[in-house]
Amino acid sequence: QGMNLLVIENVGNLVCPTAFDLGEDLRIAVLSVTEGEDKPLKYPALFKTADAVVINKTDIAEAVGFDRHSAITNLRAIAPQAELFELSARTGSGMEALIAWLDDPTG
């Protein structure tokens, strides 16, 4: 038994994907530390519908002046229902928790 996974990536803007049901089982929003802590406030519709939020590139958070506390506060205000994962795709830090959740999102 393996995991079946199809990723549909939004390549345009962060508004359009919230307006359409693509038949997805899970919706995951990705917030890169380079995009800023206020992204959930700028695009609340995307985050309100997310089952999970990934904060990515945590390995460079300090270098770009990312305020983790503000980001999490903003995320929780907009998307209290979302599972939160902090990871670095480059180093692999935090990936295990995300993969485990994808394998069984209901816990």
Side-chain angles (χ1 to χ4, degrees):
Q1 163 178 329
M3 180 187 308
N4 293 319
L5 179 68
L6 170 64
V7 176
I8 303 170
E9 180 183 7
N10 172 41
V11 210
N13 60 52
L14 295 178
V15 178
C16 292
T18 61
F20 302 101
D21 179 0
L22 301 175
E24 68 271 15
D25 293 321
L26 297 171
R27 184 169 284 202
I28 301 172
V30 179
L31 166 62
S32 170
V33 300
T34 59
E35 296 170 311
E37 305 83 12
D38 60 343
K39 188 174 179 183
L41 303 177
K42 288 181 178 178
Y43 305 102
L46 173 67
F47 290 91
K48 281 182 182 181
T49 62
D51 297 292
V53 175
V54 172
I55 299 177
N56 190 21
K57 301 183 183 179
T58 57
D59 56 303
I60 62 168
E62 187 176 337
V64 298
F66 183 74
D67 183 341
R68 180 184 177 273
H69 177 74
S70 291
I72 292 174
T73 299
N74 293 339
L75 285 168
R76 287 295 169 227
I78 300 297
Q81 80 291 347
E83 292 288 329
L84 180 60
F85 299 95
E86 298 178 69
L87 58 89
S88 168
R90 185 180 65 82
T91 68
S93 173
M95 291 294 285
E96 304 83 19
L98 176 59
I99 291 168
W101 182 80
L102 285 170
D103 194 37
D104 185 14
T106 61

